């Protein structure tokens, strides 16, 4: 093999894939070429000049399939002055590799590709056919995962394994995400006579607060309560006029058991209450700009039990954890709804999107060993 596992990760981290800035396709091509050199069937799925997926297939003893998924892109570096190393150049120090993407999630991505290549080179045939799917644009719109569902026949896989950072613990539940835009139309008035107007800003805040309270009525054992926050607010004309229009963006993170449809129904009931209060004059337009469903694997799943057994053998914690951020699982699960989803990776979840992001080399190497045994 051209690389050892550690060198391979360094090479992956050297290819910049900041979402919205860099060429993510470059990493897809690198991974394809690596897999093909190892004898694995691999292709690049072009989307546009900068975006592409990479799909590698290792044929198994049966036609039953499993999917390994990781994303190619990273978030921006942030304030460079807060980094102790250059985030665009991987640096080894104190048993860790520092770089943007080291935890989220090029270590998981690289490990999956490396295991697939090494298994093929050694002539190992897994019991099930493995699809390795490296997807682009996960950090924003998920165009890679959506494209994969459009062009790739996935059938009914036995498992979807996502290499997102979990610190080598089994991630069994993931919050869903809804980005909800509200445009409100009220009635303006003189600032001295607010009762003669319908304040679009104030009604937007009241609707938000009511929805947040409704969401808080629900909870999950690992993920806690749903969250709802205003991430953008615009409105107002001049200091002495009641604002007749306003726009809000809400970031809503839901737990398993709450769907976008349910949240939408609650929101419409809240809005209708305020419409009646204003004799039908308040108008609210609602637009969903992101819809990622919550994910959960049953505690009795044989896949979860098998992973926990492997973790026990390795002397690692087998306690499940929940993931608050969304992943490509929330898109892929729509196309393969009967497939159980496990989140499991070597990165540190608390380091995602932060300065001085790192992955522990030992955990990365342990992850590779566990992946080989797991399948």
């Amino acid at each position: 093999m051209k690389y050892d596992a550690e060198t391979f990760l360094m090479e992956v981290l050297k290819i910049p894939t900041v979402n919205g800035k860099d060429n993510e396709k470059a990493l897809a091509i690198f991974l394809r070429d690596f897999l093909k050199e190892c004898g694995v069937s691999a292709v690049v799925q072009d989307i546009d000049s900068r975006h592409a997926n990479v799909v590698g297939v290792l044929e198994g003893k049966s036609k039953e399939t499993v999917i390994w998924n990781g994303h190619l892109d990273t978030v921006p570096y942030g304030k460079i002055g807060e980094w102790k190393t250059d985030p665009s150049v991987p640096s080894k120090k104190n048993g860790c590799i520092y770089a943007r993407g080291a935890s989220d999630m090029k270590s998981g991505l690289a490990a999956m590709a490396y295991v697939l290549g090494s298994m093929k080179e050694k002539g190992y045939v897994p019991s099930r056919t493995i699809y390795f799917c490296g997807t682009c644009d996960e950090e924003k719109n998920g165009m890679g995962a959506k494209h994969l569902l459009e062009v790739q026949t996935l059938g009914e896989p036995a498992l979807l394994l996502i290499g997102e950072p979990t610190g080598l613990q089994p991630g069994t539940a993931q919050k869903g995400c809804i980005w909800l835009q509200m445009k409100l139309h009220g009635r303006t008035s003189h600032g001295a006579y607010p009762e003669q107007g319908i304040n679009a800003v104030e009604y937007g805040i009241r609707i938000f607060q009511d929805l947040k309270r409704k969401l808080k009525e629900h909870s999950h054992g690992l993920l806690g309560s749903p969250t709802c926050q205003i991430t953008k607010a615009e409105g107002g004309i001049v200091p002495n006029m009641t604002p007749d229009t306003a726009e809000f963006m809400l970031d809503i993170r839901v737990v398993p058991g709450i769907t976008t449809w349910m949240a939408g129904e609650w929101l419409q009931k809240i809005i209708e209450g305020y419409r009646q209060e204003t004799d039908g004059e308040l108008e609210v337009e609602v637009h969903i700009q992101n819809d990622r469903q919550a994910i959960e694997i049953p505690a009795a799943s044989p896949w979860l039990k098998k992973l926990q057994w492997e973790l026990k053998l390795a002397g690692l914690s087998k306690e499940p954890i929940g993931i608050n951020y969304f992943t490509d699982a929330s898109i892929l699960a729509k196309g393969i709804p009967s497939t159980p989803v496990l989140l499991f990776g070597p990165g540190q979840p608390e380091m995602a999107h932060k300065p001085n992001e790192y992955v522990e080399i030992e955990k990365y190497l342990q992850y590779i060993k566990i992946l080989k045994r797991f399948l």
Side-chain angles (χ1 to χ4, degrees):
M1 183 171 280
K2 187 175 180 180
Y3 306 103
D4 61 31
E6 190 177 320
T7 304
F8 183 67
L9 174 57
M10 297 287 279
E11 292 299 314
V12 169
L13 288 168
K14 285 178 184 177
I15 300 172
T17 55
V18 172
N19 192 303
K21 175 189 173 189
D22 295 321
N23 185 357
E24 296 175 42
K25 188 187 293 188
L27 180 53
I29 292 170
F30 173 81
L31 293 172
R32 178 202 61 190
D33 292 348
F34 167 78
L35 290 170
K36 291 184 76 171
E37 286 174 8
C38 296
V40 176
S41 174
V43 296
V44 166
Q45 296 177 341
D46 287 313
I47 298 176
D48 59 31
S49 61
R50 292 189 304 160
H51 294 97
N53 296 332
V54 57
V55 177
V57 182
L58 182 61
E59 295 291 339
K61 296 174 183 176
S62 73
K63 292 191 179 299
E64 191 175 36
T65 62
V66 296
I67 295 176
W68 292 357
N69 169 250
H71 62 84
L72 307 172
D73 58 326
T74 72
V75 294
Y77 304 136
K79 295 180 180 178
I80 299 296
E82 295 182 1
W83 285 79
K84 296 178 181 177
T85 62
D86 185 340
S88 67
V89 180
S91 174
K92 285 197 290 185
K93 186 171 61 174
N94 300 325
C96 299
I97 296 177
Y98 290 80
R100 175 57 84 218
S103 266
D104 183 19
M105 59 156 290
K106 286 185 175 179
S107 52
L109 178 79
M112 287 177 163
Y114 190 82
V115 168
L116 212 66
S118 62
M119 283 198 296
K120 181 64 175 179
E121 277 205 339
K122 293 174 182 177
Y124 177 75
V125 180
S127 58
R128 298 170 179 85
T129 295
I130 301 171
Y131 279 79
F132 164 72
C133 303
T135 45
C136 63
D137 189 48
E138 186 269 353
E139 296 289 359
K140 282 191 178 178
N141 301 310
M143 74 166 72
K146 293 172 185 174
H147 184 77
L148 184 71
L149 291 178
E150 292 172 1
V151 303
Q152 184 76 45
T153 301
L154 297 175
E156 295 185 8
L159 176 70
L160 172 56
L161 182 69
I162 309 287
E164 290 276 6
T166 65
L168 292 186
Q169 287 186 257
T172 60
Q174 169 197 308
K175 280 186 175 179
C177 176
I178 305 166
W179 291 342
L180 189 150
Q181 182 190 51
M182 291 194 302
K183 293 183 178 180
L184 298 96
H185 304 273
R187 185 175 67 239
T188 190
S189 68
H190 194 291
Y193 305 101
E195 70 280 358
Q196 295 178 7
I198 297 174
N199 192 313
V201 172
E202 290 186 3
Y203 272 106
I205 292 171
R206 289 166 70 181
I207 291 169
F208 154 73
Q209 290 174 331
D210 289 353
L211 180 60
K212 185 173 184 176
R213 277 192 289 269
K214 181 64 179 177
L215 287 163
K216 286 285 186 181
E217 293 175 6
H218 300 263
S219 187
H220 184 275
L222 287 175
L223 297 170
S225 297
T227 60
C228 180
Q229 65 170 330
I230 297 173
T231 53
K232 179 183 178 183
E234 292 181 351
I237 309 165
V238 291
N240 59 347
M241 288 181 69
T242 299
D244 58 351
T245 62
E247 182 178 323
F248 291 83
M249 182 67 73
L250 306 184
D251 180 298
I252 303 167
R253 306 295 168 127
V254 296
V255 297
I258 298 178
T259 65
T260 302
W261 182 86
M262 292 167 62
E265 285 289 295
W266 297 336
L267 179 62
Q268 289 302 326
K269 287 181 180 179
I270 293 166
I271 291 171
E272 184 56 32
Y274 288 120
R275 274 181 52 80
Q276 292 178 16
E277 182 178 295
T278 60
D279 296 323
E281 282 199 62
L282 178 69
E283 296 181 5
V284 183
E285 301 173 38
V286 176
H287 303 279
I288 303 295
Q289 295 194 353
N290 191 19
D291 179 7
R292 304 291 190 100
Q293 70 183 62
I295 300 290
E296 185 167 31
I297 191 170
S301 166
W303 287 107
L304 175 57
K305 297 296 185 185
K306 181 172 175 55
L307 178 58
Q308 289 178 315
W309 174 252
E310 293 295 345
L311 291 170
K312 182 179 179 181
L313 289 179
L316 299 167
S317 172
K318 60 186 182 68
E319 288 302 309
I321 63 170
I323 306 297
N324 286 336
Y325 50 83
F326 63 76
T327 73
D328 273 340
S330 58
I331 293 175
L332 296 174
K334 289 183 178 180
I336 45 176
S338 61
T339 299
V341 179
L342 265 176
L343 297 115
F344 178 60
Q348 296 298 124
E350 66 273 13
M351 290 309 304
H353 300 194
K354 290 184 179 179
N356 303 305
E357 181 182 353
Y358 67 86
V359 65
E360 295 175 35
I361 296 172
E362 183 181 357
K363 283 189 175 180
Y364 168 69
L365 297 176
Q366 281 181 310
Y367 182 67
I368 287 174
K369 291 178 182 177
I370 292 169
L371 264 190
K372 288 179 178 179
R373 292 199 305 266
F374 185 51
L375 289 168

